[in-house]
Amino acid sequence: MNILVGDKLKMKKKHPCGSEVFIVLRAGMDFKIRCEKCGHEIMLPRVKLEKNIKQIVKES
């Protein structure tokens, strides 16, 4: 999967705040993503992140 910094990810599960859209801050073996609604930042391994993605919205 080609995920780049700045992409918005729509996830299968919602964040506790109710949002399901996250912004990619760092890409590599581990990803750092930020909740679009509350701003909470999460570090996830690539395998776990790719499993939970519903849709990728590319940013230019």
Side-chain angles (χ1 to χ4, degrees), residues 4-44:
L4 303 172
V5 173
D7 288 351
K8 290 186 180 181
L9 307 175
K10 188 171 183 180
M11 307 300 270
K12 291 179 183 175
K13 293 183 181 179
K14 290 186 178 183
H15 189 250
C17 71
S19 176
E20 56 185 19
V21 179
F22 290 83
I23 301 166
V24 177
L25 302 176
R26 182 179 142 196
M29 281 305 296
D30 292 321
F31 280 82
K32 187 172 193 175
I33 57 175
R34 180 188 302 139
C35 177
E36 193 174 56
K37 186 175 178 183
C38 70
H40 187 248
E41 294 182 0
I42 306 163
M43 289 285 291
L44 291 170

